[in-house]
Amino acid sequence: MGALVEDHYNAELENGGVGLGDCIDLGVEDEPETLAIEESVRILLQGLGEDVNREGLRKTPFRVAKALREGTKGYRQKVNDVVHGALFPEVGLGAGVGHAGGAGGLVIVRDIDLFSYCESCLLPFHIKCHVGYVPSEQRVVGLSKLSRVADIFAKRLQNPQHLSDQVCAALQQAFNPTGVALLLQCSHIHIHHGWVKVLVTSGSGVFEDEKANVWTDFLGLLRLRGICSDTKDIERPFCPSRFSCKTLPPLNSVMTNAVGSILLSLGEDPFRKELLGTPSRFVKWFTDFKNSDLEMKKPFGGFVRCGSDSEPEMVSELNLPFWSQCEHHLLPFYGVVHIGYLCGSNGGGGAKSTLQSIVHFHGYKLQVQERLTRQIAESVASATGEEDVIVVVEASHTCMISRGIEKVGSNTATVAVLGRFSREPTMRMQFLQSIPNSCALKSKPHPQPHLRPPANTNIFKVRRASNSAATNTLRR
């Protein structure tokens, strides 16, 4: 359980930040901080060899600056402005029995979805926050204020334990309850390590003792919602970049300086101990998506060409995993690709590794999902020599769930079709029905590729037809 440092938060509660009503309009294009971040993002894009003036990237610096400022607005907010005026008298809380005296007892708000930016790598991480307190002085606080105070500290560069400690201390100092308890379930995405999860707790007042009976009540009420508190893992760093980037190769100093400038524009101290390695870790992750570092697997020896006299069959490869980076917000998106194509009865086997190479080639760069889907379809058609291809991409977008809209649970499916798949609904439906329901993406981490259902091959006889193309997008 994290120790609480109260002096810092006392000062913040009294003097820190501006009131919520006085917050500047984040996203005003001519704000000095926004302009400085935009310039730094241009430097990073140029470091990837990208043309910052090309369509799709022209407004990316502003979009990134707006998202970063929105995601760190907690630096400019004040806890007292949230809690003040939201304390209500409750005469049932007095001397006697119960945690709070009289009939009063524990109050918990569960399942608060939050997002924060990791101070080690600047990627967003998801938080499921559960906060409880024991009232005192015959008063209770408005329930929504618990989540709003937690959001103030989540909207800063954070790590899970510091976040938990800060929210706990701020609530304790804001309205002086008998005690405050926090449990955070945090999930951090990383390209090479999937998802890293950690559970952290903090307590004050009657919750300072981890063995106190009130903790038993708190955790018991969480278990009623299926929330497990037995998975605490503090043996390894929460941020995967801390154990994957222990020895960094020489990096572009101009790019690392640009990240340092972003930290400064967000109101942070780039020389704070916890942030010293952040620019290098971010640049290492960012440059992994450099186009010139990737080659598509050739030759396409995994395919057996279909004979001209062969009766065509549909061959499908499902659940091919991919990672990519949204070129609009420079945040990851990830998921699975399902590919189907028509081939003669004497071919179509043993192509999975080449298909995965095609997916990796087009995914591991700055992308948008619609373009990714189309490019995979066109490359499969070229690789197989077949004109009838369908590709379905299912993905979760970090930019959809961590920015202002915070659409937790959303995912996106895109479809690209060539040849007969573009003209025959029955053929498309047969392929779509071959995709197992278990492949449907959730907003939470999907299993590692080797734990996914095995690739399925579905074959049925069809007639050949002339080539045509179409692309359709379905938003869920």
Side-chain angles (χ1 to χ4, degrees), residues 90-106 134-136 138 178 206 217:
E90 185 57 51
V91 296
L93 305 178
V97 298
H99 298 311
L106 182 61
V134 176
S136 67
Q138 298 191 26
T178 303
V206 294
D217 296 344

Side-chain angles (χ1 to χ4, degrees), residues 31 50 159 163 278 284 373 406 425 428 462 468:
E31 289 177 1
E50 289 283 356
N159 72 55
L163 173 60
T278 298
K284 169 62 173 64
T373 310
E406 295 188 358
R428 290 198 301 272
V462 295
S468 65

Side-chain angles (χ1 to χ4, degrees), residues 213-245:
N213 290 334
V214 68
W215 268 110
T216 302
D217 296 344
F218 178 79
L219 297 176
L221 287 170
L222 294 185
R223 290 190 184 98
L224 291 177
R225 295 292 295 269
I227 300 165
C228 177
S229 61
D230 301 325
T231 59
K232 192 169 183 179
D233 179 10
I234 57 174
E235 298 301 320
R236 61 177 180 172
F238 171 66
C239 178
S241 69
R242 282 194 171 272
F243 55 80
S244 64
C245 299

Side-chain angles (χ1 to χ4, degrees), residues 18-91:
V18 296
L20 289 178
D22 300 324
C23 283
I24 59 176
D25 181 11
L26 304 177
V28 176
E29 201 161 347
D30 57 355
E31 289 177 1
E33 296 84 357
T34 303
L35 294 174
I37 296 173
E38 286 185 57
E39 181 58 31
S40 296
V41 173
R42 290 189 189 96
I43 292 172
L44 291 172
L45 290 171
Q46 289 167 348
L48 284 186
E50 289 283 356
D51 176 8
V52 296
N53 293 314
R54 76 167 170 85
E55 189 65 33
L57 284 184
R58 194 174 300 128
K59 293 186 178 180
T60 292
F62 175 66
R63 285 189 291 258
V64 173
K66 181 180 178 182
L68 283 172
R69 297 210 64 209
E70 173 68 23
T72 56
K73 66 182 180 181
Y75 289 117
R76 301 175 292 280
Q77 293 180 328
K78 187 176 177 182
V79 173
N80 270 348
D81 289 331
V82 171
V83 177
H84 181 69
L87 294 172
F88 306 100
E90 185 57 51
V91 296

